[in-house]
Amino acid sequence: MSRVSARDALRYATEDDAVVLFGVIVGGWVLLTIGTFALAGYGFGLMFALGIVASLAGALAVFAGVVGLAYKLLVDSRRAAAE
């Protein structure tokens, strides 16, 4: 197994694609948190419906971001191994 320097790891983590995926994960987490607060304080009504929509959208965004990041790491590691 080859060694990776801290500079190379930081450069890889701050590439455009990785930053976008990290942003999707953080944005989904924020939506999930907002949706949870909206669901906790109100009964059935508009806030409840918005809370459900925000929670589902946030959960989907977090899931998509994690899967996208894992896929990016897998593809890049296979590409590096082939070189």
Side-chain angles (χ1 to χ4, degrees), residues 47-68:
M47 284 301 286
F48 184 78
L50 291 175
I52 287 178
V53 169
S55 293
L56 291 175
L60 182 64
V62 169
F63 178 73
V66 168
V67 169

Side-chain angles (χ1 to χ4, degrees), residues 8-81:
D8 290 338
L10 185 59
R11 184 178 313 127
Y12 180 79
T14 56
E15 286 179 345
D16 290 339
D17 298 338
V19 170
V20 168
L21 289 170
F22 290 137
V24 168
I25 293 170
V26 170
W29 178 77
V30 168
L31 266 177
L32 193 56
T33 303
I34 290 170
T36 302
F37 281 122
L39 284 173
Y42 299 97
F44 294 102
L46 182 61
M47 284 301 286
F48 184 78
L50 291 175
I52 287 178
V53 169
S55 293
L56 291 175
L60 182 64
V62 169
F63 178 73
V66 168
V67 169
L69 190 60
Y71 181 76
K72 178 182 175 13
L73 290 171
L74 182 66
V75 167
D76 289 349
S77 66
R78 286 186 179 176
R79 186 178 305 139

